[in-house]
Amino acid sequence: MASKSKFQAIRGTRDLLPPETALWNRVEETARSVFGTFGFGEIRPPILEPTELFARAVGGDTDIVSKEMYTFEDRDESSTSLRPEATASVCRAYIEHGMQQLPLPVKLYYMGPMFRRERPQKGRYRQFYQIGAEVLGGSDAPAIDAEVVEMVMAFFDRLQLPGVQLEINSIGHSADNCRRGYVAQLKSALEKVKDKLGADSQRRIETNPLRVLDSKLEHEQPIIENLPRIADHLCDDCKAHYAAVKHQLEMRGVLYRENWRLVRGLDYYMRTTFEITAAGLGSQNAVCGGGRYDGLVELLGGPPTKGIGFAIGEDRLILSLQEAGKVPLTTGRDVYIAWMGEHAHATAIRASKSLRAAGVSVELPPVEQKFSKALERASKLNSRYALILGDNEVAEGSWTLKTLADGSQQKFTEPELLDFLKPSL
Ligand code: HAM
């Protein structure tokens, strides 16, 4: 089927085509519906943002900002980037529109493409899609953390996503001693085993020691298991918050597993972090990541503001649904109008208009076809019915509707046909 042309989609980007796009639409409609029931409204931030926004929010030393952003100098010489994520944009918009004046918390969701120059593989693309949500302002009550997680799980449940597993952690508070003290201890423990670590982890001891915990390298696993754990260093407030989040999850019947190594790859997190994996995805099995980021709005120049949210990798979500056999039915037509003759064409145009207005999908061939050809094409397009309209049928006012699955035929007048098709489709 595929043929080579001079132009191809850029590496790591791809075309989403029907019938797969029907599944994308269903996923997005489900997100809108579920998030709506939790009181979230949609925000559509731009795809281009000042580079500095991500450097500040996500962190200059993170892989995302230091290696993966698509950045260019705009004509006014300002550095501009394609967004690698949207939390920073939502916080920028919160400040820009003075949303702290609104009843708090402000609950927003978004969906759309993100861009990261990662090495492409199954479930990992350079243009990928996220469905995310953020809760900004108001309190940092643990019930908010739990409700946000409950919402993603309800969404996955509605889609019947297979093998969903939630992992949670608390990474403490950056301003207090709890995180700083822990990172210092971790760093010195890492220095001691530096020679046994791979190049990436060795580099991260300096740039971002927490990220070493994320390593998937097999030979590093026993070393990491023996490193100091954040749970043993949380301050009393962080400990109480984490315990309350777990209790709130239990109250909501949300099953979780604790993972002390869950640290996330963006700098803005504090306290609650979580990730959700799903079946059928191989090594790129994280289908959702999120956490609390109190302080991010302030870091971007806004008022002190609590924040928590998540983003779902929509490409991975779709892959997992497909692997589980939840593919959409191939899109077909309800009615294919097989017309022959000039009068029949005029009638066919009129009939297609009233059928489409009634919500029936109609394929109207632009040029006359022999009935045998028309029926062949009707089945190729997965049509349910063929409406046969020759000059005779038009003159007699009696139209033939053929059910393609079994070849049976029925005769109708025009109003009868509309009546018949409307309720049955
Ligand atoms: P993240 O963990 O970087 O978090 O991304 C969230 C999800 O996006 C991942 O779990 C994964 O499913 C998907 N994803 C990331 N990179 C790729 C890629 N290259 N190809 C396909 N899918 C990918 C964030 O982006 C945060 N902004 C989430 C958040 C919102 N935290 C608080 N609010």
Side-chain angles (χ1 to χ4, degrees):
M1 269 261 285
S3 62
K4 278 244 170 209
S5 103
K6 184 166 169 249
F7 298 110
Q8 282 173 6
I10 287 174
R11 189 167 134 80
T13 75
R14 63 212 175 112
D15 301 304
L16 304 173
L17 305 171
E20 190 186 298
T21 38
L23 185 55
W24 284 74
N25 283 328
R26 186 161 69 80
V27 161
E28 289 166 14
E29 279 156 21
T30 308
R32 289 175 201 287
S33 146
V34 173
F35 297 176
T37 63
F38 282 79
F40 283 69
E42 184 177 2
I43 176 169
R44 299 192 188 195
I47 286 167
L48 295 176
E49 293 276 9
T51 305
E52 181 58 20
L53 174 68
F54 302 114
R56 277 256 198 119
V58 177
D61 286 334
T62 58
D63 285 351
I64 296 177
V65 171
S66 66
K67 298 197 278 204
E68 297 168 1
M69 283 219 293
Y70 285 92
T71 297
F72 62 96
E73 190 174 282
D74 211 341
R75 289 180 190 213
D76 62 2
E77 293 181 1
S78 58
S79 181
T80 303
S81 292
L82 295 181
R83 63 182 185 193
E85 64 106 55
T87 308
S89 303
V90 175
C91 290
R92 180 204 37 74
Y94 179 88
I95 302 166
E96 191 167 332
H97 302 285
M99 290 191 213
Q100 71 270 19
Q101 309 296 340
L102 299 173
L104 298 178
V106 174
K107 302 196 230 177
L108 298 167
Y109 75 85
Y110 51 85
M111 44 186 82
M114 310 291 157
F115 303 83
R116 295 182 194 175
R117 207 173 188 294
E118 293 189 83
R119 188 200 290 269
Q121 64 179 86
K122 179 181 170 188
R124 196 205 272 158
Y125 310 96
R126 291 179 170 179
Q127 174 171 341
F128 61 98
Y129 294 78
Q130 282 187 343
I131 299 177
E134 316 290 349
V135 179
L136 287 160
S139 92
D140 62 355
I144 297 182
D145 306 44
E147 195 182 62
V148 162
V149 174
E150 181 191 5
M151 180 169 88
V152 197
M153 297 301 263
F155 171 53
F156 288 165
D157 203 44
R158 183 82 73 85
L159 292 171
Q160 296 179 296
L161 186 68
V164 175
Q165 290 201 347
L166 164 68
E167 292 194 340
I168 60 166
N169 191 21
S170 173
I171 58 167
H173 201 294
S174 54
D176 289 348
N177 284 334
C178 73
R179 169 110 125 255
R180 210 173 300 148
Y182 171 65
V183 171
Q185 277 212 16
L186 180 63
K187 214 168 155 178
S188 75
L190 284 169
E191 298 285 3
K192 290 189 193 126
V193 293
K194 188 171 179 178
D195 297 344
K196 300 192 190 121
L197 298 172
D200 274 347
S201 295
Q202 288 197 4
R203 190 170 36 81
R204 287 183 172 137
I205 297 177
E206 287 313 315
T207 57
N208 201 343
L210 279 175
R211 288 291 286 167
V212 176
L213 303 181
D214 229 9
S215 160
K216 304 283 186 295
L217 282 185
E218 199 144 330
H219 84 271
E220 292 184 347
Q221 302 310 307
I223 305 171
I224 294 171
E225 280 305 310
N226 286 321
L227 292 169
R229 303 185 173 204
I230 182 91
D232 302 327
H233 294 80
L234 293 181
C235 66
D236 289 346
D237 280 354
C238 286
K239 227 181 254 173
H241 193 271
Y242 186 38
V245 170
K246 289 187 278 185
H247 176 63
Q248 284 288 333
L249 286 171
E250 283 148 26
M251 282 172 71
R252 290 165 164 77
V254 176
L255 300 177
Y256 62 84
R257 208 175 69 97
E258 288 182 76
N259 176 3
W260 70 276
R261 289 174 53 178
L262 184 65
V263 291
R264 314 267 308 124
L266 303 88
D267 280 355
Y268 48 63
Y269 292 113
M270 47 97 62
R271 289 192 173 160
T272 313
T273 56
F274 58 95
E275 261 175 26
I276 302 170
T277 53
L281 293 173
S283 63
Q284 303 302 310
N285 65 349
V287 77
C288 174
R292 177 163 283 288
Y293 51 83
D294 301 351
L296 176 57
V297 167
E298 200 174 355
L299 183 73
L300 297 176
T305 305
K306 310 292 182 194
I308 181 164
F310 64 82
I312 293 161
E314 192 177 0
D315 309 71
R316 295 183 189 178
L317 174 57
I318 300 272
L319 260 175
S320 179
L321 290 172
Q322 285 171 329
E323 297 270 329
K326 296 197 189 329
V327 282
L329 298 174
T330 40
T331 44
R333 313 290 191 277
D334 299 326
V335 182
Y336 188 99
I337 306 189
W339 61 269
M340 267 188 90
E342 225 171 280
H343 292 302
H345 194 191
T347 306
I349 291 172
R350 211 186 57 232
S352 61
K353 199 173 266 191
S354 22
L355 285 170
R356 285 171 177 154
V360 178
S361 79
V362 177
E363 186 68 24
L364 179 66
V367 291
E368 189 175 87
Q369 293 168 321
K370 291 224 167 65
F371 285 131
S372 57
K373 260 255 142 14
L375 291 178
E376 217 174 87
R377 229 175 92 74
S379 352
K380 269 198 191 145
L381 291 175
N382 274 321
S383 314
R384 186 157 171 202
Y385 299 108
L387 175 61
I388 297 172
L389 276 184
D391 285 343
N392 277 348
E393 279 83 359
V394 173
E396 287 165 14
S398 166
W399 300 359
T400 303
L401 189 72
K402 190 178 170 94
T403 304
L404 289 166
D406 61 9
S408 65
Q409 303 199 8
Q410 281 172 277
K411 294 240 174 210
F412 293 103
T413 63
E414 185 174 352
E416 281 170 354
L417 181 80
L418 264 176
D419 268 2
F420 174 77
L421 287 176
K422 264 194 276 183
S424 77
L425 290 169

